[in-house]
Amino acid sequence: MSVQLPDILSFCNVFNLRANKHCQCRAVSHASEKWLIDSGVLLPSGTEWSKAKVGLLVAACYPNTDATQLRLITDFLSLQLYRDEKAAASGECVGQGDSGYVRADIVSCAKGISPSQTPNLVTVLMRERNASLDSALVFAGTLIKQSADAFLEAEHEPLSSSDLGTDGEVQRYVLGLRDWIAGSVNWLYETQRFLGERESEVRTFGWVFVPVAQ
C-alpha cells in the first residue's frame, strides 16, 4: 500500500545542518568497514553495509570533528548499528523511547510491515491502538513534533540564564545536541538502509510503497 510518511524534515528544520570541513565520509566509512572485517565482525554481504553510509551520519552529526575523530566515532556507531541489526534479526527490541529510533522507525516502514518483524513504534501503535498504518504514522509523526518542540523549550532555560547562558561548555553542549538532531534526520533520507535508491524522491514527496504482510 502507498502511504505518505510524516514530514520529519519540516518538524526539525529549525535545527541547522552544518557541514564538516574535514568531511571524508566515504573514505572513513570504507576504512571503518575494513576494520570491522579485519576484526572478525560479520557484515552484510555485498555492498549492503556500505549503503548504510555510517560515515555520512557521523560527518553530519559531528561537524566540528577532525578526520581522526570522525573515524573513531564511525567505528563506534558502526558497532552500534551492527548490534542493533543483530538484535532485530533475533526479534529483540532496540532503542525504545529514544526519539532518534522513533524517527528511524517511521522511515523504516518503507521496507515493509509484517507480523514476524521486530516490533517498532509504528507496529506497536497499529496493534495496541488497533490503528491503520496511516493513523499510526500520523501519531508517530506527532510524537516527533512534540519531541522537537520540547527540546526547543528545554534549551531556552539554560541559554537564557545569566550564568549558564554565557558558559561556553553549555553552549557547545546544546549546539552538539542540535547537530545530532539535524544530522540524524537528514541521514535518514540519504542512507539507502531504509529507502533504497528512492531517498531523493521520498525526501521531496514523502510517498512510499509499503509491502504489508498479513
Side-chain angles (χ1 to χ4, degrees), residues 123-159:
T123 58
V124 168
L125 287 172
M126 291 175 67
R127 183 181 68 247
E128 297 299 324
R129 293 172 173 260
N130 194 27
S132 66
L133 176 57
D134 281 313
S135 297
L137 285 170
V138 169
F139 187 81
T142 300
L143 293 179
I144 295 297
K145 179 67 166 60
Q146 291 174 345
S147 178
D149 291 343
F151 177 90
L152 294 174
E153 183 177 350
E155 77 167 359
H156 177 72
E157 182 175 350
L159 293 181

Side-chain angles (χ1 to χ4, degrees), residues 10-29:
S10 71
F11 298 159
C12 301
N13 63 7
V14 67
F15 305 106
N16 296 325
L17 179 65
R18 301 196 296 153
N20 188 302
K21 64 180 180 180
H22 300 290
C23 186
Q24 305 171 32
C25 51
R26 183 172 298 180
V28 168
S29 288

Side-chain angles (χ1 to χ4, degrees), residues 24-112:
Q24 305 171 32
C25 51
R26 183 172 298 180
V28 168
S29 288
H30 289 330
S32 183
E33 181 177 351
K34 183 179 184 302
W35 171 71
L36 289 171
I37 293 173
D38 292 344
S39 300
V41 177
L42 297 178
L43 296 176
S45 60
T47 60
E48 290 304 309
W49 184 263
S50 298
K51 290 180 179 179
K53 302 181 182 179
V54 184
L56 178 61
L57 170 63
V58 176
C61 292
Y62 299 93
N64 293 327
T65 55
D66 60 26
T68 301
Q69 292 170 321
L70 279 174
R71 170 61 195 281
L72 178 63
I73 301 171
T74 300
D75 288 347
F76 175 80
L77 289 185
S78 292
L79 286 172
Q80 185 178 47
L81 177 61
Y82 176 76
R83 180 208 64 182
D84 289 351
E85 291 191 343
K86 289 279 287 185
S90 62
E92 300 176 23
C93 292
V94 294
Q96 298 182 58
D98 182 273
S99 62
Y101 281 95
V102 171
R103 295 190 293 267
D105 284 352
I106 291 173
V107 178
S108 68
C109 284
K111 298 173 67 175

